[in-house]
Amino acid sequence: METDSVKVDSSLWVGTKRYRAVLSGWYFNWTELDKKNREKKTISVPISEVVAVAEGKAEVQPQKRAEDTDRDFTLFYVNRTRGGKRALWCLGRTEFCCPSRDLRDQWVTQLRTALKTHCPSRPRRLLVFVNPYGGKKRAKQVYRSLVAPLFELAGVSTHVVVTERANQARDHILKKDLTGFDGVICVGGDGMFSELLHGVIGRTQQEAGISEHDPTVMLQSCDLHIGIIPAGSTDCVCFATVGVNDPVTSALHIIIGDSQPLDVCSVHHHNTLVRYSVSLVGYGFYGDVLAESERLRWMGPLRYDLSGCLVYLCNRSYEGVVQYLPADPQLSSPRDNMRCLSGCRVCSESTEMLFPHSDSCSSLYSRQLSQYSIGSEGEWMSVEGRYRCVSLTCMSSSCPRSPKGLSPAAHLADGTGDLILVQDTDPLGFLTYLHRHTTSKDQFDLPFVEVHRVKAVRFTLPPGEEDDYHDEERERQSITEGAQGTPKMACNSDVESYGDGSQQYLAAEQEEPGMKDRRRKRRNFLCGLCCSKPPAVSVWNCDGELLPYTEIFCKVHGQLVRLFARGIEDEEGHEENKSCKGRCVLH
Ligand SMILES: CCCCCCCCCCCCC/C=C/[C@@H](O)[C@H](COP(=O)(O)O)NC(C)=O
Ligand SMILES: Nc1ncnc2c1ncn2[C@@H]1O[C@H](COP(=O)(O)OP(=O)(O)O)[C@@H](O)[C@H]1O
Ligand SMILES: [Ca+2]
């Protein structure tokens, strides 16, 4: 077959030694001397992981570019090393010296041709949003020092926007001309990623003429890829889709054009879309932790540790009615210990059901497909009780704080989410549950914890349970109504239409000034430690944003968006590359 034919086969100097090098089809293989143990070893780099080929003895930093010698060329490629437990990617660099200039030109031309032939889907132009406000407030510096030089080396052009306000990135993607961009990049944390997610999904539905407010609608999957350069506090989405929150690793996944489909959960209140989520929709503990942490943002990532302790000490639980639509248990289960790794079988089988190639549906296929559309089948289940936390996660939600994640066997792209119900229990029991997120012990193997793989969830308050948050909300509405005379339904107050007909959703943080303060006061745990009447109602944490509603309907949309990633690589699968250690440049 043409692609397996040898393109170039010659001897080349690598360092002071001359060995054979072969470029054939998908791989560039060469031999070099391992300096450490002074023995020959063969390096094999897939063309798909070549970052750049440069004439001469080239360097990454433009200012250090060496002179162009006419018989040398430099190869830059993905090199895997170890960073603790996780496989980090870094930029490998090897200089080759050819016997003649012609042979050098032949190598460079053939390598560049192979790149173009085998990697047509690599991004050439990216729209980059940098959030100077999130995490340790180092996003600009991280981008400038670690990422921009790699994009330049790889010939990727960028338009960089350093945001000046919340939701600027979302609004830009929703309304500006995106012609010519092959992807959008978030330099920040989960909250910043969520802005790009809302922009890309909203834009795609706008262009497809689909109303996002209809909870039963099948959303159009989005082609514009999203990349994440981790520079936030939790960086859960990056960690769960790449396996590590390292800017260079993520930049290399973006450059080589990896593509990882991702499930997205839509959150509705009555007939209004409130938010989308890819990691956590959490009520109770995680909601209270987020609410409390907003006050402590000046602490950076540590704010979650302090607010986690404060919320834990308040020992709160909340009444709720949870209805859920179970996914097909024959396909997978949250307890089957099948971690979702790069090339995951469960996710690739779901692809067949979510996006069939053939029109003719086999009976099995049509039965399985139906499980992905809500409403026409399946039995809704309903439970009611008092819960420490109710969490819905479309993925493992692993993060540096919890390397296994909220649900270790959840899948990135299988069209389902895992619903975790932690019933009210004694403080020690709940601490055990939380602590197991940081150990290898099974956090679901506790009597007060249940987990279900689901396609949809509805949360409501038990009849008669007062929802003081909604009372405040209605009070706010009546004030607004008085002022404007036009009745504003609670569920429409979050939708404000712009002249161009596009609908913007006022995310929680854009609600009326003062509402957040009232909510925070109600939730302020320092005073709450002693307050006699704890709030009956918690608040929802949706990927790091607080939701302005308690009663919500969540639905999982399989593989709705795509990230520049490939899932978590199984460390064992790349033994041979460990020997490349120490050849990395640009730390
Ligand atoms: C006694 C030991 C306690 C350890 C508890 C470990 C809990 C694991 C927490 C995992 C949370 C993963 C879900 C991610 C949510 C993010 O979207 C959100 C916002 O992330 P961002 O700050 O925007 O990067 N972060 C939080 C903590 O709500
Ligand atoms: N320039 C800005 N000023 C203030 N807030 C911003 C800005 N840019 C983005 N944001 C908001 O900051 C929030 C937190 O950003 P994120 O990058 O997730 O940091 P962290 O991980 O620390 O929460 C996001 O919800 C985003 O909407
Ligand atoms: Ca999933």
Side-chain angles (χ1 to χ4, degrees):
M1 222 172 77
E2 171 53 29
T3 47
D4 290 347
S5 66
V6 171
K7 298 278 189 288
V8 192
D9 181 350
S10 78
S11 63
L12 297 175
W13 276 276
V14 181
T16 56
K17 293 285 180 190
R18 181 170 173 169
Y19 295 111
R20 186 180 173 204
V22 181
L23 170 63
S24 67
W26 299 92
Y27 283 85
F28 176 24
N29 303 315
W30 71 88
T31 306
E32 64 180 44
L33 186 65
D34 181 321
K35 295 188 184 61
K36 204 167 61 175
N37 42 29
R38 306 211 50 76
E39 62 185 28
K40 283 199 311 184
K41 66 174 185 264
T42 299
I43 309 295
S44 181
V45 173
I47 293 301
S48 60
E49 296 185 3
V50 169
V51 171
V53 187
E55 282 96 352
K57 299 180 188 305
E59 296 292 341
V60 181
Q61 285 83 355
Q63 68 280 11
K64 286 170 64 179
R65 287 267 150 84
E67 79 293 346
D68 176 6
T69 59
D70 65 358
R71 293 188 300 127
D72 300 315
F73 71 93
T74 306
L75 186 79
F76 295 98
Y77 50 91
V78 170
N79 183 23
R80 289 171 181 81
T81 60
R82 313 294 308 154
K85 287 207 179 69
R86 295 281 171 171
L88 284 176
W89 281 18
C90 64
L91 183 67
R93 173 183 179 282
T94 300
E95 280 175 21
F96 298 90
C97 178
C98 303
S100 70
R101 161 147 196 175
D102 285 350
L103 188 58
R104 190 284 298 270
D105 292 348
Q106 190 187 346
W107 269 106
V108 170
T109 305
Q110 289 293 344
L111 280 165
R112 286 176 176 165
T113 305
L115 259 183
K116 280 204 178 61
T117 314
H118 295 315
C119 314
S121 62
R122 283 196 179 190
R124 305 314 310 154
R125 179 152 176 70
L126 295 168
L127 177 56
V128 180
F129 294 98
V130 180
N131 176 5
Y133 168 78
K136 297 176 182 156
K137 298 184 174 23
R138 296 181 55 245
K140 276 201 294 193
Q141 196 233 334
V142 163
Y143 180 73
R144 200 173 30 241
S145 60
L146 294 176
V147 179
L150 289 176
F151 283 170
E152 189 193 348
L153 175 76
V156 176
S157 70
T158 55
H159 174 68
V160 182
V161 176
V162 178
T163 59
E164 289 151 6
R165 62 173 175 82
N167 288 316
Q168 180 183 348
R170 181 196 66 182
D171 297 343
H172 185 117
I173 296 171
L174 276 174
K175 298 195 300 185
K176 295 282 177 71
D177 180 10
L178 303 179
T179 313
F181 287 112
D182 302 313
V184 289
I185 308 298
C186 149
V187 186
D190 295 327
M192 190 61 182
F193 167 79
S194 183
E195 279 202 40
L196 274 67
L197 180 79
H198 284 78
V200 167
I201 297 176
R203 178 75 178 243
T204 305
Q205 308 321 310
Q206 264 173 28
E207 290 171 352
I210 292 171
S211 163
E212 299 167 274
H213 296 297
D214 174 359
T216 64
V217 78
M218 284 287 277
L219 294 175
Q220 171 86 25
S221 64
C222 309
D223 295 327
L224 188 65
H225 279 58
I226 304 175
I228 308 175
I229 300 293
S233 302
T234 311
D235 294 330
C236 162
V237 181
C238 177
F239 200 91
T241 53
V242 173
V244 67
N245 57 328
D246 169 66
V248 171
T249 302
S250 289
L252 291 170
H253 279 286
I254 293 167
I255 287 167
I256 67 173
D258 275 343
S259 180
Q260 168 66 45
L262 192 59
D263 296 339
V264 177
C265 173
S266 60
V267 182
H268 283 81
H269 175 78
H270 300 160
N271 284 322
T272 296
L273 172 80
V274 180
R275 292 292 286 184
Y276 292 110
S277 161
V278 293
S279 70
L280 166 69
V281 187
Y283 184 80
F285 180 75
Y286 292 119
D288 292 347
V289 165
L290 182 66
E292 183 60 21
S293 72
E294 285 304 295
R295 261 175 358 98
L296 308 168
R297 218 173 230 292
W298 52 271
M299 290 181 74
L302 282 175
R303 66 184 186 279
Y304 288 127
D305 302 282
L306 176 57
S307 59
C309 295
L310 291 175
V311 169
Y312 170 75
L313 291 173
C314 281
N315 196 21
R316 293 239 168 94
S317 60
Y318 302 95
E319 294 283 346
V321 180
V322 183
Q323 297 163 291
Y324 59 91
L325 188 58
D328 182 345
Q330 291 167 9
L331 294 174
S332 68
S333 130
R335 309 292 300 273
D336 62 18
N337 285 326
M338 278 170 55
R339 279 186 62 209
C340 180
L341 297 173
S342 194
C344 172
R345 180 183 60 75
V346 172
C347 293
S348 42
E349 280 173 4
S350 309
T351 307
E352 268 313 295
M353 294 171 215
L354 289 164
F355 308 101
H357 293 305
S358 64
D359 297 340
S360 60
C361 296
S362 68
S363 57
L364 167 70
Y365 155 64
S366 53
R367 184 180 65 75
Q368 284 169 328
L369 176 68
S370 67
Q371 81 143 340
Y372 289 95
S373 55
I374 303 291
S376 53
E377 70 332 293
E379 287 298 310
W380 279 84
M381 308 295 284
S382 181
V383 289
E384 180 172 351
R386 175 169 277 281
Y387 297 99
R388 286 289 194 130
C389 49
V390 175
S391 308
L392 175 64
T393 179
C394 287
M395 53 156 71
S396 66
S397 281
S398 62
C399 62
R401 208 181 297 263
S402 170
K404 289 183 313 173
L406 296 173
S407 185
H411 292 274
L412 290 173
D414 66 336
T416 76
D418 285 352
L419 173 65
I420 306 161
L421 302 174
V422 182
Q423 283 145 26
D424 193 10
T425 182
D426 61 280
L428 185 60
F430 188 54
L431 185 62
T432 305
Y433 167 72
L434 287 176
H435 186 248
R436 285 187 180 183
H437 285 83
T438 63
T439 67
S440 56
K441 292 203 76 170
D442 180 0
Q443 63 254 46
F444 300 137
D445 185 20
L446 290 163
F448 51 87
V449 179
E450 57 181 286
V451 60
H452 307 282
R453 189 144 289 176
V454 301
K455 294 159 305 185
V457 175
R458 188 176 290 117
F459 181 88
T460 51
L461 293 170
E465 183 73 57
E466 89 281 3
D467 172 4
D468 52 355
Y469 175 69
H470 278 152
D471 297 343
E472 287 171 4
E473 182 75 3
R474 268 187 284 279
E475 178 197 317
R476 181 172 74 85
Q477 302 297 336
S478 58
I479 296 165
T480 318
E481 189 177 308
Q484 294 170 7
T486 50
K488 276 189 123 188
M489 290 296 295
C491 58
N492 293 329
S493 67
D494 291 282
V495 178
E496 183 182 314
S497 63
Y498 277 62
D500 58 3
S502 71
Q503 283 183 328
Q504 296 282 321
Y505 313 105
L506 284 177
E509 71 276 9
Q510 285 190 354
E511 59 198 6
E512 293 285 306
M515 173 58 72
K516 189 183 256 185
D517 295 343
R518 276 212 293 280
R519 188 170 54 206
R520 191 180 294 131
K521 234 195 326 296
R522 179 163 58 84
R523 208 158 296 285
N524 180 332
F525 284 88
L526 284 173
C527 80
L529 285 173
C530 54
C531 73
S532 54
K533 182 178 176 298
V537 169
S538 177
V539 64
W540 285 99
N541 169 349
C542 183
D543 287 8
E545 292 301 321
L546 294 169
L547 296 190
Y549 298 104
T550 307
E551 301 198 324
I552 57 173
F553 170 72
C554 303
K555 174 182 168 185
V556 181
H557 302 261
Q559 303 188 13
L560 187 62
V561 296
R562 270 145 187 70
L563 300 193
F564 286 116
R566 60 171 67 178
I568 296 176
E569 284 196 311
D570 179 3
E571 287 80 23
E572 285 61 49
H574 289 277
E575 282 300 331
E576 75 283 356
N577 278 301
K578 283 187 197 121
S579 61
C580 311
K581 187 173 170 182
R583 263 220 302 242
C584 284
V585 294
L586 191 82
H587 277 295

